């Protein structure tokens, strides 16, 4: 269907603007639906079209997942006499394609603040998943209008009637109101666009008030500096205006304003309800904070917008450059990545074994894996990451409380109590796997809080689990035990006292802080045995025997020995008395003993990488 050009930015009547986002679980077809909308609205021609058009990073395309939210402006002409009943005319649709994984929920929450409606997409062959529920509750909390849609109705295994009833029960509508589309074939997508125009409320704001715009994302461009993405709430932001960031008080001149359609398009100004970008030429990444309010320098607004509730990191890990000279490069890379990923937190850290690096907080394991990949690819760094762990509160006998984010910070002396973070986990699964899921959660020290049947063969189970048990191999085991059918979502819910101990790994009696871990006392022995046997295979043999020990305090719980490289000193001793042979062997033994007293064990970087990478799970993509 031919589509008219959209009205120019800044001259657009807010009544014809529709701001919406697409939210769903991983692999339910968000990016494919976005591709189909780009094609139908004519903003991407057939020659330039490609799958996952809005996924710009190589890592997104390789893994088939969305990591960054992407905003795009599209024109859409509603014809006369359309079945949906929307008023005919040309509308401006601002769409945001969001990630689906639990680790990128902060991206989704920021996108919701820039919209008035959310398209809730559910796979018609798989039904509702845990992250679908989480995103739905986020959208409801942000007071957005929900448009329920079933995707993949062309699949042979699709069951739209069954899942439409499930979805209608959650959203509170009639099953007939749930739209049915196939993003792959394009079936039903035109009707969906008309429904978006009909159901999405137009943005509300005061065009004559002092300008206020909410920063919902920022990226760093090597040539142009910081590019800031905003949603205008009140007033108007114009080219060459002097703008002020309300949280920092920094003042800049706007060198360029425009919209993304889906490539950047310059504009004279941005008015009420519009989503666009600002470029000020600023190179300091700290000047453009996500959640800040942009206003004009003169006669600007006095009340800032609400901003966002900043997420607390769930998992901590140390990142160290293999080459110590790369430390300043790593710091600059983290600052630029933090601009692009506001959920990332980091602070400098020093390790006796690994040198200078950073302690980094992540929202989950996939977030950690993606961040490390991006640092290595985009900034050409070679990094070692330590095993992931969570934050513990250690209460000493004298009443003092210490916050421990790293096993090396674990205190010596008498400890009264150790408190660990707890998460509230929601597991959705076919009811056939209830027994095996319960068994897994019990081995991970979980407590069942409740269980509901969403339909006769799908169950929702709610558990409280220690965060430390989630960050290792919980998700991998859940998937393997349920043949890939179960889905997991979790959120922080306080802390609890637990019997935790610190396991140190000693090489020749000296602790190596990079291999230490805080684990439950029941799992301490197995961790010690695993690390000792692994290091025995990874560390090269020395001229002297090297003991590898795992210890809790002064008590050794596991030990392996790396045998010494021995020269055959008896090769030249042929014939003669046995005392001659003994003399040579005793001389060698004394030399080995002296060497052991003054020698040090060098652990090669490859051994660190192998030992630490294999102790954490390989979550290629949580689907």
């Amino acid at each position: 269907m031919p589509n008219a050009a959209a009205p120019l930015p800044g001259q657009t009547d807010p009544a014809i603007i529709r701001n919406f986002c697409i939210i769903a679980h991983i692999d339910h077809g968000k990016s494919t639906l976005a591709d189909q909308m780009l094609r139908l609205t004519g903003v991407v021609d057939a020659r330039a079209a490609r799958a996952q058009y809005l996924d710009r990073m190589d890592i997104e395309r390789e893994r088939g997942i969305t990591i960054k939210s992407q905003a795009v402006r599209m024109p859409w002409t509603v014809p006369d006499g359309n079945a949906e009943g929307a008023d005919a005319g040309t509308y401006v649709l601002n769409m945001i394609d969001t990630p689906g994984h639990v680790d990128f929920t902060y991206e989704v929450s920021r996108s919701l603040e820039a919209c008035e409606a959310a398209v809730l997409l559910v796979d018609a062959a798989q039904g509702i998943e845990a992250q679908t529920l989480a995103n739905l509750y986020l959208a409801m909390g942000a007071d957005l209008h929900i448009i329920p849609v079933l995707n993949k109705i062309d699949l042979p295994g699709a069951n739209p009637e069954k899942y439409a009833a499930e979805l209608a029960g959650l959203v509170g509508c009639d099953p007939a109101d749930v739209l049915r589309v196939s993003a792959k074939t394009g079936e039903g997508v035109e009707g969906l666009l008309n429904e978006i125009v009909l159901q999405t409320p137009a943005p509300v704001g005061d065009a004559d008030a002092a300008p206020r715009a909410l920063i919902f994302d920022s990226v760093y461009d090597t040539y142009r500096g910081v590019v800031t993405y905003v949603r205008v709430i009140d007033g108007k932001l114009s080219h060459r205006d002097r703008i002020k960031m309300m949280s920092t008080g920094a003042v800049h001149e706007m060198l360029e304003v425009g919209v993304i359609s889906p490539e950047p398009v310059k504009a004279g100004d941005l008015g009420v309800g519009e989503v666009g970008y600002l470029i000020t030429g600023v190179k300091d990444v700290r000047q453009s904070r996500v959640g800040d309010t942009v206003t004009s320098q003169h006669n600007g607004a006095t009340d800032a917008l609400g901003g966002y509730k900043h997420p607390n990191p769930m998992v901590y890990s140390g990142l160290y450059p293999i080459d110590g000279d790369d430390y300043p490069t790593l710091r600059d890379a983290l600052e630029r990545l933090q601009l692009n990923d506001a959920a990332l937190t980091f602070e400098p850290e020093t390790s006796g074994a690994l040198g200078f690096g950073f302690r980094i907080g992540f929202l989950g394991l996939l977030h950690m894996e993606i961040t490390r990949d991006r640092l290595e690819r985009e900034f050409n760094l070679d990094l070692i990451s330590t095993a992931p762990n969570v934050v513990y509160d250690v209460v000493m006998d004298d009443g003092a409380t210490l916050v421990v984010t790293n096993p090396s910070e674990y205190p010596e002396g008498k400890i009264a109590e150790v408190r660990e973070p707890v998460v509230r986990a929601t597991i959705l699964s076919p009811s056939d796997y209830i027994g095996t899921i319960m068994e897994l959660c019990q081995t991970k020290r979980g407590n069942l809080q409740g269980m509901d049947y969403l339909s006769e063969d799908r169950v929702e189970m709610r558990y409280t689990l220690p965060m430390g048990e989630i960050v290792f191999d919980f998700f991998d085991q859940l998937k393997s035990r349920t043949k890939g059918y179960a889905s997991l979502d979790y959120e922080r819910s306080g802390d609890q006292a637990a019997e935790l101990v610190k396991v140190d790994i000693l090489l020749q009696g000296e602790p190596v802080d990079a291999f230490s871990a805080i684990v439950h006392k029941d799992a301490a022995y197995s961790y010690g045995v695993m690390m000792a046997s692994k290091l025995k295979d990874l560390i090269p043999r020395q001229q002297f025997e090297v003991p590898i020990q795992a210890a809790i305090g002064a008590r050794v719980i596991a030990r392996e020995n790396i045998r010494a490289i021995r020269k055959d000193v008896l090769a030249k001793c042929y014939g003669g008395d046995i005392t001659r042979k003994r003399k040579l062997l005793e001389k060698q033994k004394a030399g080995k003993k002296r060497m052991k007293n003054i020698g040090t064990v060098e652990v090669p970087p490859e051994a660190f990488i192998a030992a630490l990478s294999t102790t954490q799970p390989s979550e290629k993509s949580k689907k």
Side-chain angles (χ1 to χ4, degrees):
M1 181 172 61
N3 230 344
L8 293 173
Q11 303 167 10
T12 311
D13 180 359
I16 65 166
I17 295 176
R18 300 289 186 269
N19 297 322
F20 71 98
C21 61
I22 307 174
I23 56 175
H25 191 80
I26 272 188
D27 205 30
H28 279 212
K30 294 180 301 299
S31 298
T32 311
L33 181 61
D35 291 345
Q36 197 66 249
M37 288 180 173
L38 293 175
R39 187 185 66 77
L40 279 174
T41 55
V43 294
V44 176
D45 62 28
R47 288 176 301 172
R50 63 171 193 262
Q52 288 176 264
Y53 190 89
L54 294 179
D55 291 346
R56 303 300 173 91
M57 287 186 277
D58 291 343
I59 197 166
E60 289 181 311
R61 306 185 67 77
E62 284 171 20
R63 291 171 179 251
I65 59 174
T66 302
I67 295 164
K68 283 293 297 171
S69 298
Q70 295 289 348
V72 61
R73 176 187 172 104
M74 308 178 294
W76 178 247
T77 303
V78 176
D80 288 318
N82 63 87
E84 286 74 21
D87 293 338
T90 300
Y91 291 82
V92 173
L93 307 182
N94 287 315
M95 175 186 69
I96 302 179
D97 179 26
T98 63
H101 192 275
V102 59
D103 286 8
F104 304 107
T105 302
Y106 187 53
E107 285 283 325
V108 180
S109 69
R110 299 204 322 256
S111 303
L112 296 175
E113 294 293 329
C115 302
E116 277 78 34
V119 171
L120 183 69
L121 203 63
V122 172
D123 187 329
Q126 292 183 349
I128 295 157
E129 303 278 12
Q131 194 58 31
T132 314
L133 281 176
N135 286 333
L136 173 62
Y137 297 147
L138 272 177
M140 287 177 165
D143 203 23
L144 265 60
H145 178 76
I146 309 295
I147 303 172
V149 180
L150 281 175
N151 188 25
K152 305 189 184 182
I153 58 170
D154 57 310
L155 290 181
N159 192 344
E161 299 307 320
K162 174 185 173 183
Y163 295 123
E166 262 187 35
L167 201 48
L170 276 175
V171 177
C173 65
D174 194 87
D177 296 333
V178 177
L179 302 175
R180 293 160 172 79
V181 303
S182 169
K184 188 175 181 181
T185 64
E187 181 186 346
V189 179
E190 286 188 19
L192 171 59
L193 286 165
N194 291 336
E195 278 291 346
I196 288 168
V197 169
L198 178 66
Q199 296 189 32
T200 305
V204 177
D206 187 350
D208 300 322
R212 289 196 305 170
L214 181 68
I215 299 177
F216 68 88
D217 204 359
S218 297
V219 295
Y220 188 86
D221 185 285
T222 309
Y223 304 103
R224 314 184 80 184
V226 178
V227 181
T228 305
Y229 294 98
V230 296
R231 154 73 194 269
V232 180
I233 306 296
D234 295 322
K236 185 169 68 173
L237 293 174
S238 302
H239 179 55
R240 290 295 178 188
D241 274 359
R242 292 191 70 77
I243 57 168
K244 181 171 133 184
M245 306 291 179
M246 292 188 75
S247 69
T248 61
V251 175
H252 313 289
E253 182 181 359
M254 277 198 294
L255 304 180
E256 184 178 319
V257 298
V259 294
I260 307 292
S261 185
E263 304 305 324
V265 178
K266 282 187 188 178
D269 45 44
L270 294 174
V272 171
E274 295 204 87
V275 175
Y277 68 89
L278 317 173
I279 296 176
T280 59
V282 173
K283 299 284 185 183
D284 184 356
V285 295
R286 290 179 290 272
Q287 294 285 343
S288 186
R289 287 178 43 210
V290 166
D292 200 355
T293 303
V294 179
T295 187
S296 55
Q297 181 186 7
H298 304 293
N299 303 317
T302 52
D303 296 331
L305 297 163
Y308 307 106
K309 179 185 175 186
H310 200 76
N312 293 319
M314 293 274 201
V315 178
Y316 285 85
S317 177
L319 275 185
Y320 298 85
I322 290 177
D323 183 352
D325 293 341
D326 285 339
Y327 177 75
T329 311
L330 177 58
R331 184 181 56 234
D332 292 343
L334 283 168
E335 286 182 352
R336 291 188 186 181
L337 204 59
Q338 193 178 43
L339 176 76
N340 197 248
D341 180 1
L344 201 66
T345 60
F346 63 90
E347 59 184 32
E349 181 181 63
T350 308
S351 161
L354 301 174
F356 292 103
F358 290 93
R359 186 91 187 141
I360 305 178
F362 305 96
L363 296 185
L365 279 182
L366 185 68
H367 187 207
M368 179 178 114
E369 202 177 315
I370 294 290
T371 301
R372 181 179 164 177
D373 271 8
R374 290 185 66 187
L375 287 168
E376 291 185 335
R377 288 177 187 219
E378 296 173 23
F379 302 97
N380 199 25
L381 291 164
D382 290 320
L383 302 171
I384 296 174
S385 61
T386 60
N389 64 278
V390 296
V391 181
Y392 301 98
D393 292 331
V394 180
V395 182
M396 306 299 288
D397 261 2
D398 59 4
T401 301
L402 302 173
V403 178
V404 176
T405 61
N406 189 339
S408 63
E409 298 170 1
Y410 199 82
E412 304 289 336
K414 292 190 176 179
I415 293 169
E417 186 181 60
V418 182
R419 300 192 68 81
E420 64 179 349
V422 177
V423 296
R424 188 187 300 110
T426 304
I427 300 169
L428 265 66
S429 164
S431 51
D432 300 349
Y433 302 108
I434 290 176
T436 187
I437 292 172
M438 283 185 166
E439 183 191 348
L440 172 64
C441 291
Q442 281 168 1
T443 61
K444 299 293 184 181
R445 299 187 285 130
N447 291 316
L448 181 64
Q449 300 299 306
M451 189 165 71
D452 292 318
Y453 280 84
L454 297 176
S455 63
E456 55 194 40
D457 58 351
R458 280 173 68 77
V459 67
E460 174 190 347
M461 304 171 74
R462 295 179 299 282
Y463 269 91
T464 55
L465 287 153
M467 184 69 200
E469 301 286 356
I470 291 264
V471 302
F472 283 97
D473 57 352
F474 179 80
F475 192 82
D476 287 353
Q477 287 195 40
L478 178 67
K479 280 294 185 189
S480 64
R481 289 182 183 220
T482 60
K483 300 180 182 175
Y485 284 114
S487 59
L488 169 74
D489 179 56
Y490 56 85
E491 61 179 358
R492 180 79 184 267
S493 68
D495 54 21
Q496 67 180 16
E499 295 180 315
L500 301 171
V501 293
K502 178 189 176 187
V503 179
D504 282 313
I505 303 298
L506 312 173
L507 289 181
Q508 210 181 341
E510 292 295 320
V512 182
D513 57 353
F515 296 134
S516 299
I518 299 170
V519 296
H520 193 264
K521 69 170 190 176
D522 295 340
Y525 174 72
S526 58
Y527 176 81
V529 169
M530 177 194 70
M531 284 301 291
S533 61
K534 196 169 285 178
L535 290 173
K536 180 187 177 185
D537 297 333
L538 293 170
I539 295 174
R541 290 170 69 182
Q542 314 285 321
Q543 293 285 330
F544 49 90
E545 184 178 303
V546 178
I548 303 170
Q549 297 167 305
I552 300 172
R555 182 164 61 94
V556 175
I557 58 171
R559 173 173 174 140
E560 295 280 359
N561 288 335
I562 301 175
R563 292 178 56 203
I565 301 173
R566 296 176 68 91
K567 181 180 175 184
D568 187 4
V569 293
L570 301 181
K572 61 185 179 182
C573 188
Y574 46 90
D577 195 348
I578 187 68
T579 56
R580 173 67 180 151
K581 293 184 180 179
R582 282 185 184 153
K583 184 179 176 184
L584 286 171
L585 289 170
E586 288 297 326
K587 187 178 176 183
Q588 184 187 40
K589 188 176 177 183
K592 295 283 183 194
K593 187 175 181 182
R594 188 170 65 251
M595 198 182 293
K596 186 170 184 177
N597 289 336
I598 62 170
T600 57
V601 182
E602 287 293 324
V603 183
E606 298 77 32
F608 277 110
I609 294 168
L612 295 173
S613 63
T614 49
T615 56
Q616 64 198 51
S618 57
E619 272 184 37
K620 292 303 175 194
S621 94
K622 285 188 178 180
K623 290 190 179 178

